[in-house]
Amino acid sequence: MSDMGVTVKKSENFSEWYTEVVLKSGLADYAPIKGCMVFRELSYAIWEKIQEIFNKKIKATGHKNVYFPMFIPESFLKKEAEHFAGFIPEVAWVTEGGDSPLEERLAVRPTSETIIYATYAKWIRSWRDLPVKLNQWCNVVRWETKATKPFLRTREFLWQEGHTAHATKADSDKEVMDILNDYKDLMENYLAIPVLIGVKTDKEKFAGALYTTTLEAMMPDGKALQMGTSHNLGQNFAKVFDIKFIGEDEKEHHVWQTSWGISTRLIGALVMVHGDDKGLVIPPKVAPIHVVIVPIPYKDADSTAILAKAKEILAKLEACGITAILDDREEYTPGWKFNEWELKGVPIRIEIGPRDLKQNQLTIARRDTCQKTAVKIEDAVQAVEKLLEDIQNNLYAKAKAALMEKTTTVRSYDEFQRTLREKGGFIKAPWCGSSDCEEKIKDETGATIRLKPFEKEAPTANCICCGAKAVEMVYFAKSY
Ligand code: 87F
C-alpha cells in the first residue's frame, strides 16, 4: 500500500510508529508554530466523546461548566509565588496590545487556579454559598523546552480543569476521590486503558496542594503516563486569595478546595495502548464511527442491488444508535478502503459482495483481531452490537494483561536496576518514605515514584535504597 499506510512496526521503532499513526490516520497534523499541533476532525471527535462522557458524570453530581479569561495578570501569579516558582519558566506572556506596551504583563493561562480563586473570594460569603463546584473546558499554554510530541507534550493543549470550594476538609476529601473514581471509570470502561490509582509523594505532588491523587497507565515501551490528577488544595489558596465564609457556627473560616484535570494527552495514550501495525484501534465507546460498510461490486454483479442492501443495513444500524457510514466512493477499490478504515481505527467493517447477497449474508471484520465472520443479514444488528461489546472488552483485557506483564515486584536495588534496564514498566518496591532515597533513585536511574497505591501491601523487604525499615510498597517507573 506504499506510503499511505504505516511503514514502521510498533515493536521495532515505537516512537516513529506513534508519529506515523498520528499523522497518517488523520488524527493530527503539525502546525506552522513550533511545539503546536492541529487537532484534526478525528481527534477532535474523540475529544468530544470524552467531553460528553465526563460532562455527564460531573453534571450528575452538581458541577457546572463556566469559562474564565485566558489572560491572567502577572500580579495574580506572583501572589502565589511559592507554589508557582517552579512553573514560571513555562509561562507565556502578553506584553503588548496593538503597538502599546501593557501596564501589567498578562500570562497566557497555564492553569486557572489564580484567576478563578480571585473570583471565588468575591462570590463566597456564607456557608450557604458552599459548595462551589465549577469546571471549564479550555486550552492552556505551557512553554515547553523539552522535545514536543503530538498529544503527549505540546505548548498548547486542551483540557478540563475543575475547581471546587467546600466548607469542610471531609467534603473536599470526598470530592477529590469522587472525581478520581469518575476519571478511573472514563479511562477503564470507555478508553479501555487500565490505570493504577494512588497518592503522589511530597516531592511529586502539585506544590500548591495538600496532597495530589493520580491515575497512571503503562505504555507499551515500558514508560508510565500520568492520565489525570485530582488535588486536595487544602486551605492554601484560600489563604492567599482570601476566600472566607461565615460558618453555621457564625465564625469565619477559610474554604477547603480541590482542583482536577484531564487533557488531550488521553488521546495519545489511546493511540499507544491500542494501536497496531495497521494503525489506530479505537475502542467502540469513544469511536466517532462504529461501523463502515464497504460494498464489493464486481463487473458482472448487480451493484445496484448490493448498494441497496448496504443502505438498508446502514439504516437499521443507525436506528439502533450505532454510528455507521457507507463508503460508496467509486474512485477507490475495496482493498484501498479496507486499509484506510483500518488506519483510522474504525472498530467494525461490514463487507457486502455478490456472494454475500446471494446467500443473504454479510461479512463482518473486527478491527482489534482482524477476524472475519459471515452473518445472516437478519442477525446483522444484533451481531454488531455484540461485537462492539466484545471489542471493547477485549481491548481492555489485552491492555490489562500488558499492564500486569509490565509490573514487577522487587526486593533489592540490584533487582530494581536490572528490571528497569531490561524490562521497564512499573516496579513495585519497598520504600522507607524518605525524600532522600526517592531523590537518589531518580538521580541514579531516571525512575520516579509514580504513586503510593491506595491498596496497601505489607513491605516484602527493607527500603531498596537505604536498607532501613520500609513503610510501604510504592510504584516506580520512568515516565513521559
Ligand atoms: C505551568 C505553568 C504555571 C502545572 C504549570 O493539575 C503553572 C502551572 O500550576 C501549574 N503546570 N501546574 C499545576 C496544575 C495544577 C492543577 N490545575 C487544575 C492540575 C489540574 C487542573
Side-chain angles (χ1 to χ4, degrees), residues 286-478:
V286 290
I289 298 170
H290 295 127
V291 178
V292 57
I293 305 171
V294 181
I296 320 237
Y298 282 95
K299 279 199 196 74
D300 56 340
D302 183 353
S303 56
T304 326
I306 291 176
L307 211 56
K309 207 43 152 184
K311 286 185 178 157
E312 192 184 311
I313 288 146
L314 178 70
K316 275 192 193 151
L317 290 170
E318 283 180 331
C320 294
I322 295 164
T323 313
I325 56 162
L326 171 60
D327 186 355
D328 58 2
R329 291 176 295 178
E330 284 172 7
E331 62 274 32
Y332 294 104
T333 64
W336 196 95
K337 294 176 184 176
F338 292 1
N339 290 331
E340 177 171 56
W341 296 114
E342 281 170 356
L343 181 57
K344 288 180 176 294
V346 175
I348 294 178
R349 177 179 75 236
I350 293 181
E351 306 166 13
I352 313 180
R355 207 179 44 178
D356 292 313
L357 198 63
K358 207 179 292 166
Q359 300 179 354
N360 203 38
Q361 67 176 34
L362 306 164
T363 302
I364 301 190
R366 57 188 287 180
R367 177 62 184 87
D368 59 339
T369 61
C370 295
Q371 282 165 338
K372 286 196 195 191
T373 38
V375 170
K376 285 282 156 227
I377 287 189
E378 63 265 30
D379 301 332
V381 173
Q382 226 194 342
V384 166
E385 280 173 338
K386 166 86 168 51
L387 192 53
L388 288 171
E389 251 180 70
D390 284 356
I391 295 170
Q392 184 76 33
N393 294 338
N394 177 49
L395 289 175
Y396 179 77
K398 270 205 289 193
K400 178 88 189 182
L403 168 65
M404 296 196 341
E405 191 273 321
K406 284 200 152 54
T407 305
T408 313
T409 306
V410 303
R411 294 172 52 86
S412 70
Y413 200 35
D414 228 39
E415 219 187 320
F416 179 91
Q417 284 174 299
R418 185 163 14 94
T419 307
L420 197 64
R421 218 174 31 242
E422 291 171 5
K423 178 172 168 189
F426 284 119
I427 308 182
K428 202 190 329 175
W431 176 54
C432 65
S434 97
S435 303
D436 288 349
C437 286
E438 183 182 10
E439 182 96 51
K440 184 161 181 269
I441 293 171
K442 182 180 178 180
D443 287 347
E444 291 177 359
T445 69
T448 51
I449 300 181
R450 302 316 300 162
L451 55 78
K452 305 189 282 179
F454 289 121
E455 278 182 45
K456 301 285 178 215
E457 280 174 50
T460 51
N462 288 338
C463 176
I464 53 163
C465 185
C466 67
K469 192 170 164 51
V471 291
E472 62 185 319
M473 299 292 283
V474 294
Y475 286 85
F476 289 86
K478 289 193 178 168

Side-chain angles (χ1 to χ4, degrees), residues 223-341:
K223 279 160 70 175
L225 185 75
Q226 180 171 308
M227 302 279 282
T229 51
S230 177
H231 311 283
N232 190 319
L233 304 176
Q235 295 175 307
N236 294 344
F237 283 89
K239 286 175 184 162
V240 175
F241 287 92
D242 211 27
I243 318 178
K244 288 183 294 209
F245 68 101
I246 306 292
E248 284 188 79
D249 59 4
E250 293 181 358
K251 290 187 186 130
E252 203 171 58
H253 304 274
H254 284 109
V255 296
W256 293 86
Q257 294 184 270
T258 82
S259 76
W260 24 275
I262 51 173
S263 74
T264 39
R265 177 175 246 215
L266 292 180
I267 300 171
L270 185 109
V271 174
M272 290 195 279
V273 170
H274 302 306
D276 65 17
D277 290 343
K278 292 180 171 189
L280 274 182
V281 180
I282 310 178
K285 285 198 197 166
V286 290
I289 298 170
H290 295 127
V291 178
V292 57
I293 305 171
V294 181
I296 320 237
Y298 282 95
K299 279 199 196 74
D300 56 340
D302 183 353
S303 56
T304 326
I306 291 176
L307 211 56
K309 207 43 152 184
K311 286 185 178 157
E312 192 184 311
I313 288 146
L314 178 70
K316 275 192 193 151
L317 290 170
E318 283 180 331
C320 294
I322 295 164
T323 313
I325 56 162
L326 171 60
D327 186 355
D328 58 2
R329 291 176 295 178
E330 284 172 7
E331 62 274 32
Y332 294 104
T333 64
W336 196 95
K337 294 176 184 176
F338 292 1
N339 290 331
E340 177 171 56
W341 296 114

Side-chain angles (χ1 to χ4, degrees), residues 193-207:
I193 301 174
V195 289
L196 302 180
I197 55 171
V199 184
K200 287 288 187 190
T201 60
D202 281 341
K203 198 168 123 51
E204 296 286 330
K205 78 175 170 76
F206 170 37

